[in-house]
Amino acid sequence: MIEEKDLRAALKLYFIMGSPNCQSRPQQVLEDAINGGVTLFQFREKGKGALKGDEKKALGEELQWICKNHGIPFIVNDDIDLALELDTDGVHIGQEDEPLESVREKIGNKIIGVSAHTVEEARQAVNGGADYLGVGPIFPTKSKEDAKAAQGTSVITDMRKNGIRLPIVGIGGIGRGNAKSVIEAGADGISVISAIAGAGDAAIAAAALKKELT
Ligand code: 3NM
């Protein structure tokens, strides 16, 4: 189990990717991103060309190993069975995935992150025992096919004003130039796919984002 203050710190620069997001080997992209300053990683093997079954598991294992070597948490998107098989640090679930309560039952005290788009969804996640919220899309994104309309940073401000104290990461279209505004709105961190996985050099991209957040 991770302490809330350690989780808040780990959420600062939260990198998400799977093989469809990478132009070079995901293992190398992750190594570079961590060397650039990423503080937590989510394995999200989704979209066109995504690996399945044993191939997905094998890549997950390799990426988990890289995270372990560098001492950063490894979280898997949606796939509770894989999270249990690999004994990951946690899972991230969306509103359409398995209900939070049943995920908690299966996964024990591992980290559970929940995507929340409104104050009401945030409240439900808090009541259901989520450890952190992923809130978005803050800005327009090309990385999620079924993403909702961009909400701007005010969705985070609103949640804070309405008493949501759980750690929050903003997501969706975040990159250089707008990262700081997400923190200023009340988030503990930013989560990004393309700003790092889609950059020519993941280490340089991560370091630049980190600098902007400090
Ligand atoms: N979830 P990028 S937006 C995975 O709004 C994901 O819940 C979102 O990718 C949500 O940093 C998103 O490239 C994609 O915009 C984020």
Side-chain angles (χ1 to χ4, degrees), residues 44 115 117 136-137 141 143-144 171-173 191-194:
R44 182 176 181 274
S115 298
H117 310 93
T141 177
S143 305
K144 185 174 159 80
I171 185 163
S191 45
V192 307
I193 300 179
S194 54

Side-chain angles (χ1 to χ4, degrees), residues 22-195:
C22 297
Q23 288 143 18
S24 52
R25 290 178 70 243
Q27 295 89 332
Q28 192 59 52
V29 173
L30 181 57
E31 280 276 357
D32 291 347
I34 297 173
N35 288 332
V38 156
T39 50
L40 183 149
F41 174 65
Q42 180 194 128
F43 178 45
R44 182 176 181 274
E45 189 64 21
K46 272 197 173 165
K48 212 169 157 217
L51 302 174
K52 296 209 174 2
D54 287 347
E55 279 183 338
K56 176 180 174 184
K57 183 178 166 191
L59 177 59
E61 266 174 329
E62 283 190 62
L63 299 179
Q64 180 182 28
W65 183 242
I66 293 166
C67 289
K68 271 197 182 143
N69 272 343
H70 291 275
I72 73 163
F74 176 85
I75 285 180
V76 69
N77 185 276
D78 282 4
D79 194 336
I80 319 298
D81 292 339
L82 185 62
L84 289 169
E85 259 183 273
L86 297 186
D87 191 21
T88 65
D89 297 296
V91 284
H92 186 93
I93 55 172
Q95 291 291 321
E96 288 84 33
D97 299 326
E98 193 173 325
L100 176 52
E101 288 74 7
S102 86
V103 174
R104 177 59 79 199
E105 233 169 70
K106 288 184 187 167
I107 212 119
N109 60 11
K110 290 179 189 296
I111 301 165
I112 304 184
V114 176
S115 298
H117 310 93
T118 62
V119 172
E120 190 44 42
E121 286 179 0
R123 273 202 191 111
Q124 280 174 15
V126 170
N127 292 339
D131 294 297
Y132 76 88
L133 303 171
V135 177
I138 306 297
F139 305 111
T141 177
K142 291 195 180 108
S143 305
K144 185 174 159 80
E145 277 169 18
D146 55 350
K148 296 187 189 313
Q151 308 207 59
T153 54
S154 61
V155 62
I156 297 172
T157 323
D158 273 0
M159 286 180 185
R160 292 306 191 205
K161 268 192 207 149
N162 281 281
I164 304 293
R165 292 200 181 81
L166 211 63
I168 287 178
V169 286
I171 185 163
I174 301 173
R176 284 173 83 173
N178 65 21
K180 188 103 188 175
S181 68
V182 180
I183 304 297
E184 283 166 355
D188 297 280
I190 56 163
S191 45
V192 307
I193 300 179
S194 54

